[in-house]
């Protein structure tokens, strides 16, 4: 995992990561438990967090992918497993963010673990550059769907019937395999009028593990644009609906 890219993007990611550090909960008598997302924005945050840990911050991370776990170890962040206690915070990226702070995620292939870690957190903070803001989910024309390998033919046929036009994700000419041992079908879609209804239809297909639609998980979205970071907060915070 790397933050390499055009200079402007690298600067934006560094700016986002620095701002994300300012929203960390106040240290207590125990180490902070932080969900660590996947992708370039999350990687920038992990590197910044590693610097804070090296300077004395007591924190441990729960990674959403094996690549994230590797990077966290490299920068000195202790890792922990999920348990029955909520995480203090999760910091992650997204591929689309709509005006209601609903998301499309999964371009990096870690959507299942990202959803689990988000659900296990008191608060989720999403880091994006301004190009990820969309008027409607599906604007970028791609929806990842994770499927069990055995069910791929059925899933493809049912997705096609829904008008989703699935294509098996490949890496170096071979099927991409998620950290869960599953396949990713990247569906070409038009922005649906009712994304939640489309999500529900896809989830009814036997063999589908998860989709890239994330509704109501993001409490705060930090957006890098025009040399600054803008904060978007959900009006009815999802965190208020979570309990021990």
């Amino acid at each position: 995992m790397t933050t390499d890219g055009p200079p402007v993007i690298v600067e934006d990611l560094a700016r986002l990561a620095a701002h994300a550090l300012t929203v960390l909960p106040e240290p207590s008598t125990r180490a902070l438990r932080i969900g660590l997302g996947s992708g370039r924005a999350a990687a920038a945050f992990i590197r910044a967090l590693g610097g804070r840990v090296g300077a004395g911050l007591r924190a441990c991370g729960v990674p959403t992918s094996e690549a994230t776990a590797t990077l966290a170890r490299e920068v000195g962040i202790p890792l922990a497993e999920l348990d029955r206690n909520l995480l203090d915070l999760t910091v992650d990226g997204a591929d689309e963010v709509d005006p209601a702070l609903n998301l499309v995620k999964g371009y990096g292939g870690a959507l299942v673990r990202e959803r689990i870690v988000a659900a296990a957190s008191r608060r989720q903070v999403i880091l994006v550059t301004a190009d990820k803001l969309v008027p409607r989910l599906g604007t970028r024309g791609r929806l990842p769907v994770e499927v069990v390998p055995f069910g791929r033919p059925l899933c493809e046929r049912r997705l096609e019937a829904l008008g989703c036009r699935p294509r098996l994700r490949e890496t170096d000419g071979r099927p991409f395999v998620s950290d869960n041992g599953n396949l990713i079908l990247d569906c070409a879609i038009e922005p649906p009028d009712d994304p939640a209804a489309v999500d529900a239809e896809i989830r009814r297909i036997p063999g589908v593990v998860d989709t890239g639609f994330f509704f109501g998980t993001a409490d705060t979205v930090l957006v890098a644009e025009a040399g600054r970071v803008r904060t978007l907060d959900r009006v009815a915070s999802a965190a208020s609906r979570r309990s021990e």
Side-chain angles (χ1 to χ4, degrees), residues 195-218:
V198 174
D199 182 67
E201 287 292 333
I202 293 174
R203 290 177 181 278
R204 292 190 184 100
I205 301 172
V208 167
V209 177
D210 204 352
T211 85
F213 284 130
F214 280 58
F215 304 110
T217 67

Side-chain angles (χ1 to χ4, degrees), residues 48-60 75-78:
L49 180 63
R52 285 287 301 275
V53 169
L57 176 68
R58 295 180 61 235
C60 61
V75 300
I77 300 173

Side-chain angles (χ1 to χ4, degrees), residues 26-86:
E26 289 294 324
S28 63
T29 56
R30 60 171 177 77
L32 292 176
R33 289 168 49 83
I34 302 172
L36 304 177
S38 300
R40 291 193 302 171
F45 170 74
I46 292 165
R47 294 183 187 280
L49 180 63
R52 285 287 301 275
V53 169
L57 176 68
R58 295 180 61 235
C60 61
V62 175
T64 57
S65 65
E66 296 303 321
T68 289
T70 297
L71 177 59
R73 293 187 190 99
E74 289 175 357
V75 300
I77 300 173
L79 297 182
E81 299 288 336
L82 276 180
D83 58 25
R84 298 184 67 175
N85 298 309
L86 289 176

Side-chain angles (χ1 to χ4, degrees), residues 14-150:
R15 193 175 292 113
L16 283 169
H19 197 90
L21 290 177
T22 70
V23 303
L24 292 178
E26 289 294 324
S28 63
T29 56
R30 60 171 177 77
L32 292 176
R33 289 168 49 83
I34 302 172
L36 304 177
S38 300
R40 291 193 302 171
F45 170 74
I46 292 165
R47 294 183 187 280
L49 180 63
R52 285 287 301 275
V53 169
L57 176 68
R58 295 180 61 235
C60 61
V62 175
T64 57
S65 65
E66 296 303 321
T68 289
T70 297
L71 177 59
R73 293 187 190 99
E74 289 175 357
V75 300
I77 300 173
L79 297 182
E81 299 288 336
L82 276 180
D83 58 25
R84 298 184 67 175
N85 298 309
L86 289 176
L87 303 180
D88 296 295
L89 177 76
T90 285
V91 178
D92 204 348
D95 303 299
E96 291 187 357
V97 181
D98 77 4
L101 305 193
N102 295 313
L103 317 171
V104 167
K105 292 173 56 59
Y107 284 20
L111 61 159
V112 172
R113 296 191 187 187
E114 287 173 341
R115 189 183 303 278
I116 292 169
V117 171
S121 301
R122 298 180 186 278
R123 182 183 179 197
Q124 185 191 47
V125 175
I126 296 294
L127 312 182
V128 294
T129 48
D131 60 298
K132 303 299 177 62
L133 301 181
V134 297
R136 296 167 63 189
L137 295 184
T139 294
R140 300 181 73 189
R142 178 180 171 194
L143 177 68
V145 177
E146 183 160 339
V147 304
V148 174
F150 179 78

